[in-house]
Amino acid sequence: MELTGRIIAVLPANSGVSNRTGNPWMSQEYVIEVPGQYPRKCVFRLFGEDRIKQFNIQQGEDLTVQFDIDAHEYNGRWFNEIRAYNVLRGQVPQPSVGGAPVASPFPPQPSAATAPFPPAQEPAGEGSADDLPF
C-alpha cells in the first residue's frame, strides 16, 4: 500500500537493545497528511537505523510512502502497526478539483449488475396490501 502526502511531524527516534538477540535497534515514527477535501493523517514507522538515515525524512517534505499494515495482540487488546519499507520523493500530492479530491481513496462501489443485493422495487400502486405507511 502507499500514501502520497506531506510530512507534518517527525517524532523522536526510539532505540534499545533486543532482549532476545542482544542487538541494538532503532525506530522512528512520522505523521503524513494526505490532501483532499477532508485531509487524512497517518502515523507510520521506519525500523532500522540504516533506513532512517537512508530516507532522511524531514518535516514539510512531499513524498510517497510505501508500507505494510500488521496487527498484534497485547494484554487482550489489538494494535495496528504501519511499517514503511520504501519512500519515494518527487511525487506531488494530487490537488483537489472544485473542492473534491481527484481520486477517491476508497474502492469504487459495485454497479447495479454486480451489487450483492437487488435494487429496491417500486410499489405496485396506491392501496396495495403490502404498502407500509412508513
Short mmCIF file of all heavy atoms in Angstrom, two decimals, residues 56-90:
data_model
loop_
_atom_site.label_atom_id
_atom_site.label_comp_id
_atom_site.label_asym_id
_atom_site.label_seq_id
_atom_site.Cartn_x
_atom_site.Cartn_y
_atom_site.Cartn_z
N ASN A 56 16.10 9.74 5.38
CA ASN A 56 16.30 11.10 5.90
C ASN A 56 15.05 11.97 5.70
O ASN A 56 15.09 13.01 5.07
CB ASN A 56 17.52 11.73 5.23
CG ASN A 56 17.92 13.02 5.92
OD1 ASN A 56 17.65 13.21 7.09
ND2 ASN A 56 18.53 13.91 5.17
N ILE A 57 13.94 11.53 6.26
CA ILE A 57 12.66 12.22 6.10
C ILE A 57 12.65 13.48 6.96
O ILE A 57 12.98 13.44 8.14
CB ILE A 57 11.50 11.29 6.48
CG1 ILE A 57 11.48 10.09 5.53
CG2 ILE A 57 10.18 12.04 6.45
CD1 ILE A 57 10.48 9.03 5.90
N GLN A 58 12.26 14.61 6.35
CA GLN A 58 12.21 15.90 7.03
C GLN A 58 10.78 16.42 7.04
O GLN A 58 10.01 16.17 6.12
CB GLN A 58 13.11 16.91 6.31
CG GLN A 58 14.56 16.49 6.20
CD GLN A 58 15.24 16.34 7.55
OE1 GLN A 58 15.05 17.18 8.42
NE2 GLN A 58 16.00 15.28 7.72
N GLN A 59 10.45 17.18 8.07
CA GLN A 59 9.13 17.79 8.16
C GLN A 59 8.92 18.75 6.99
O GLN A 59 9.82 19.47 6.60
CB GLN A 59 8.98 18.54 9.48
CG GLN A 59 7.59 19.04 9.73
CD GLN A 59 7.39 19.50 11.15
OE1 GLN A 59 8.11 19.11 12.04
NE2 GLN A 59 6.39 20.34 11.36
N GLY A 60 7.71 18.74 6.42
CA GLY A 60 7.37 19.61 5.30
C GLY A 60 7.61 19.00 3.94
O GLY A 60 7.21 19.56 2.93
N GLU A 61 8.25 17.84 3.87
CA GLU A 61 8.52 17.18 2.59
C GLU A 61 7.25 16.57 2.02
O GLU A 61 6.43 16.04 2.76
CB GLU A 61 9.54 16.04 2.75
CG GLU A 61 10.96 16.45 2.78
CD GLU A 61 11.87 15.24 2.73
OE1 GLU A 61 11.94 14.52 3.73
OE2 GLU A 61 12.50 15.04 1.67
N ASP A 62 7.11 16.63 0.70
CA ASP A 62 6.05 15.92 -0.02
C ASP A 62 6.66 14.63 -0.54
O ASP A 62 7.67 14.66 -1.26
CB ASP A 62 5.51 16.75 -1.18
CG ASP A 62 4.73 17.96 -0.71
OD1 ASP A 62 4.11 17.88 0.36
OD2 ASP A 62 4.76 18.99 -1.40
N LEU A 63 6.05 13.50 -0.19
CA LEU A 63 6.60 12.22 -0.64
C LEU A 63 5.54 11.14 -0.64
O LEU A 63 4.44 11.33 -0.15
CB LEU A 63 7.80 11.80 0.21
CG LEU A 63 7.75 11.97 1.72
CD1 LEU A 63 7.09 10.80 2.37
CD2 LEU A 63 9.16 12.11 2.22
N THR A 64 5.90 10.00 -1.23
CA THR A 64 5.04 8.82 -1.26
C THR A 64 5.68 7.78 -0.38
O THR A 64 6.86 7.47 -0.52
CB THR A 64 4.87 8.29 -2.69
OG1 THR A 64 4.23 9.30 -3.48
CG2 THR A 64 4.03 7.03 -2.72
N VAL A 65 4.90 7.22 0.54
CA VAL A 65 5.38 6.21 1.47
C VAL A 65 4.72 4.88 1.11
O VAL A 65 3.50 4.80 1.01
CB VAL A 65 5.03 6.58 2.92
CG1 VAL A 65 5.50 5.51 3.88
CG2 VAL A 65 5.63 7.92 3.29
N GLN A 66 5.55 3.86 0.90
CA GLN A 66 5.04 2.51 0.65
C GLN A 66 5.17 1.75 1.97
O GLN A 66 6.22 1.79 2.60
CB GLN A 66 5.82 1.83 -0.46
CG GLN A 66 5.66 2.55 -1.78
CD GLN A 66 6.53 1.97 -2.88
OE1 GLN A 66 7.56 1.37 -2.62
NE2 GLN A 66 6.09 2.14 -4.12
N PHE A 67 4.10 1.06 2.37
CA PHE A 67 4.09 0.46 3.71
C PHE A 67 3.28 -0.82 3.75
O PHE A 67 2.50 -1.12 2.84
CB PHE A 67 3.52 1.45 4.72
CG PHE A 67 2.13 1.92 4.40
CD1 PHE A 67 1.02 1.24 4.87
CD2 PHE A 67 1.93 3.04 3.62
CE1 PHE A 67 -0.25 1.66 4.57
CE2 PHE A 67 0.65 3.48 3.32
CZ PHE A 67 -0.44 2.78 3.80
N ASP A 68 3.48 -1.58 4.82
CA ASP A 68 2.69 -2.76 5.13
C ASP A 68 1.95 -2.50 6.43
O ASP A 68 2.44 -1.78 7.30
CB ASP A 68 3.59 -3.99 5.33
CG ASP A 68 4.20 -4.49 4.04
OD1 ASP A 68 3.52 -4.43 3.01
OD2 ASP A 68 5.36 -4.93 4.07
N ILE A 69 0.77 -3.09 6.57
CA ILE A 69 -0.01 -2.97 7.78
C ILE A 69 -0.08 -4.34 8.44
O ILE A 69 -0.32 -5.35 7.78
CB ILE A 69 -1.44 -2.47 7.49
CG1 ILE A 69 -1.40 -1.09 6.84
CG2 ILE A 69 -2.27 -2.44 8.76
CD1 ILE A 69 -2.75 -0.57 6.41
N ASP A 70 0.15 -4.37 9.74
CA ASP A 70 0.06 -5.61 10.50
C ASP A 70 -0.55 -5.28 11.86
O ASP A 70 -0.55 -4.12 12.28
CB ASP A 70 1.45 -6.22 10.67
CG ASP A 70 1.39 -7.67 11.13
OD1 ASP A 70 0.31 -8.29 11.03
OD2 ASP A 70 2.42 -8.19 11.59
N ALA A 71 -1.07 -6.27 12.53
CA ALA A 71 -1.66 -6.07 13.86
C ALA A 71 -1.06 -7.08 14.82
O ALA A 71 -0.67 -8.18 14.42
CB ALA A 71 -3.18 -6.22 13.79
N HIS A 72 -0.98 -6.68 16.07
CA HIS A 72 -0.51 -7.61 17.10
C HIS A 72 -1.35 -7.44 18.35
O HIS A 72 -1.95 -6.39 18.58
CB HIS A 72 0.98 -7.41 17.40
CG HIS A 72 1.31 -6.05 17.93
ND1 HIS A 72 1.49 -4.95 17.13
CD2 HIS A 72 1.45 -5.61 19.20
CE1 HIS A 72 1.75 -3.90 17.87
NE2 HIS A 72 1.73 -4.26 19.14
N GLU A 73 -1.40 -8.50 19.16
CA GLU A 73 -2.20 -8.51 20.37
C GLU A 73 -1.29 -8.33 21.57
O GLU A 73 -0.19 -8.87 21.63
CB GLU A 73 -2.95 -9.85 20.46
CG GLU A 73 -3.90 -9.95 21.63
CD GLU A 73 -3.29 -10.64 22.83
OE1 GLU A 73 -2.29 -11.35 22.67
OE2 GLU A 73 -3.81 -10.43 23.93
N TYR A 74 -1.73 -7.51 22.53
CA TYR A 74 -1.01 -7.30 23.78
C TYR A 74 -2.02 -7.14 24.90
O TYR A 74 -2.87 -6.25 24.84
CB TYR A 74 -0.11 -6.06 23.66
CG TYR A 74 0.67 -5.76 24.92
CD1 TYR A 74 1.75 -6.54 25.28
CD2 TYR A 74 0.31 -4.70 25.74
CE1 TYR A 74 2.47 -6.28 26.43
CE2 TYR A 74 1.02 -4.42 26.89
CZ TYR A 74 2.09 -5.22 27.24
OH TYR A 74 2.81 -4.97 28.39
N ASN A 75 -1.96 -8.03 25.87
CA ASN A 75 -2.87 -8.00 27.02
C ASN A 75 -4.34 -7.96 26.61
O ASN A 75 -5.14 -7.19 27.15
CB ASN A 75 -2.58 -6.81 27.94
CG ASN A 75 -1.30 -7.00 28.72
OD1 ASN A 75 -0.81 -8.12 28.87
ND2 ASN A 75 -0.75 -5.91 29.21
N GLY A 76 -4.69 -8.76 25.62
CA GLY A 76 -6.08 -8.85 25.19
C GLY A 76 -6.56 -7.74 24.29
O GLY A 76 -7.72 -7.71 23.91
N ARG A 77 -5.70 -6.80 23.93
CA ARG A 77 -6.07 -5.70 23.02
C ARG A 77 -5.26 -5.84 21.74
O ARG A 77 -4.13 -6.31 21.76
CB ARG A 77 -5.79 -4.35 23.67
CG ARG A 77 -6.70 -4.12 24.88
CD ARG A 77 -6.62 -2.74 25.40
NE ARG A 77 -7.07 -1.80 24.39
CZ ARG A 77 -6.78 -0.51 24.40
NH1 ARG A 77 -6.08 0.01 25.37
NH2 ARG A 77 -7.22 0.28 23.45
N TRP A 78 -5.82 -5.36 20.64
CA TRP A 78 -5.15 -5.42 19.34
C TRP A 78 -4.69 -4.03 18.92
O TRP A 78 -5.40 -3.05 19.12
CB TRP A 78 -6.09 -6.00 18.29
CG TRP A 78 -6.23 -7.48 18.47
CD1 TRP A 78 -7.13 -8.14 19.24
CD2 TRP A 78 -5.40 -8.47 17.87
NE1 TRP A 78 -6.92 -9.48 19.17
CE2 TRP A 78 -5.87 -9.72 18.33
CE3 TRP A 78 -4.32 -8.44 17.00
CZ2 TRP A 78 -5.28 -10.92 17.95
CZ3 TRP A 78 -3.74 -9.63 16.62
CH2 TRP A 78 -4.22 -10.87 17.08
N PHE A 79 -3.50 -3.98 18.33
CA PHE A 79 -2.89 -2.73 17.89
C PHE A 79 -2.42 -2.88 16.45
O PHE A 79 -1.84 -3.90 16.09
CB PHE A 79 -1.70 -2.37 18.79
CG PHE A 79 -2.09 -2.19 20.23
CD1 PHE A 79 -2.08 -3.26 21.10
CD2 PHE A 79 -2.50 -0.95 20.70
CE1 PHE A 79 -2.45 -3.11 22.43
CE2 PHE A 79 -2.87 -0.79 22.03
CZ PHE A 79 -2.85 -1.86 22.89
N ASN A 80 -2.67 -1.84 15.65
CA ASN A 80 -2.18 -1.82 14.27
C ASN A 80 -0.78 -1.23 14.22
O ASN A 80 -0.46 -0.33 15.00
CB ASN A 80 -3.09 -0.97 13.38
CG ASN A 80 -4.42 -1.63 13.16
OD1 ASN A 80 -4.51 -2.84 13.00
ND2 ASN A 80 -5.48 -0.84 13.17
N GLU A 81 0.01 -1.72 13.28
CA GLU A 81 1.33 -1.15 13.05
C GLU A 81 1.47 -0.91 11.56
O GLU A 81 1.21 -1.81 10.75
CB GLU A 81 2.43 -2.09 13.53
CG GLU A 81 3.80 -1.48 13.36
CD GLU A 81 4.89 -2.32 13.97
OE1 GLU A 81 4.61 -3.41 14.47
OE2 GLU A 81 6.04 -1.87 13.92
N ILE A 82 1.85 0.31 11.21
CA ILE A 82 2.06 0.68 9.82
C ILE A 82 3.55 0.88 9.65
O ILE A 82 4.12 1.85 10.14
CB ILE A 82 1.25 1.94 9.46
CG1 ILE A 82 -0.24 1.66 9.70
CG2 ILE A 82 1.52 2.37 8.03
CD1 ILE A 82 -1.12 2.85 9.59
N ARG A 83 4.20 -0.08 8.99
CA ARG A 83 5.65 -0.08 8.86
C ARG A 83 6.05 0.22 7.42
O ARG A 83 5.74 -0.53 6.51
CB ARG A 83 6.21 -1.43 9.29
CG ARG A 83 7.72 -1.43 9.43
CD ARG A 83 8.24 -2.73 9.93
NE ARG A 83 7.98 -2.84 11.36
CZ ARG A 83 8.51 -3.78 12.12
NH1 ARG A 83 9.29 -4.70 11.59
NH2 ARG A 83 8.25 -3.82 13.40
N ALA A 84 6.74 1.35 7.24
CA ALA A 84 7.18 1.77 5.90
C ALA A 84 8.38 0.94 5.46
O ALA A 84 9.25 0.62 6.26
CB ALA A 84 7.53 3.25 5.89
N TYR A 85 8.42 0.60 4.18
CA TYR A 85 9.57 -0.11 3.64
C TYR A 85 10.22 0.65 2.50
O TYR A 85 11.33 0.32 2.08
CB TYR A 85 9.20 -1.53 3.20
CG TYR A 85 8.15 -1.61 2.10
CD1 TYR A 85 8.49 -1.51 0.76
CD2 TYR A 85 6.81 -1.80 2.43
CE1 TYR A 85 7.53 -1.59 -0.22
CE2 TYR A 85 5.85 -1.88 1.45
CZ TYR A 85 6.22 -1.78 0.13
OH TYR A 85 5.25 -1.85 -0.85
N ASN A 86 9.57 1.70 1.99
CA ASN A 86 10.17 2.49 0.92
C ASN A 86 9.58 3.90 0.94
O ASN A 86 8.42 4.09 1.29
CB ASN A 86 9.92 1.84 -0.44
CG ASN A 86 10.80 2.41 -1.53
OD1 ASN A 86 11.81 3.06 -1.25
ND2 ASN A 86 10.44 2.16 -2.77
N VAL A 87 10.39 4.87 0.57
CA VAL A 87 9.96 6.27 0.48
C VAL A 87 10.38 6.79 -0.89
O VAL A 87 11.54 6.64 -1.28
CB VAL A 87 10.60 7.11 1.61
CG1 VAL A 87 10.27 8.58 1.43
CG2 VAL A 87 10.14 6.63 2.96
N LEU A 88 9.42 7.37 -1.61
CA LEU A 88 9.68 7.91 -2.95
C LEU A 88 9.54 9.42 -2.90
O LEU A 88 8.51 9.94 -2.47
CB LEU A 88 8.70 7.33 -3.97
CG LEU A 88 8.65 5.80 -4.05
CD1 LEU A 88 7.50 5.36 -4.93
CD2 LEU A 88 9.97 5.26 -4.55
N ARG A 89 10.55 10.11 -3.36
CA ARG A 89 10.49 11.58 -3.43
C ARG A 89 10.12 12.00 -4.84
O ARG A 89 10.22 11.24 -5.77
CB ARG A 89 11.84 12.17 -3.04
CG ARG A 89 12.07 12.03 -1.55
CD ARG A 89 13.35 12.71 -1.12
NE ARG A 89 13.40 12.87 0.31
CZ ARG A 89 13.65 11.91 1.17
NH1 ARG A 89 13.86 10.69 0.75
NH2 ARG A 89 13.68 12.15 2.46
N GLY A 90 9.67 13.25 -4.96
CA GLY A 90 9.32 13.77 -6.28
C GLY A 90 7.89 13.46 -6.67
O GLY A 90 7.46 13.79 -7.75
#
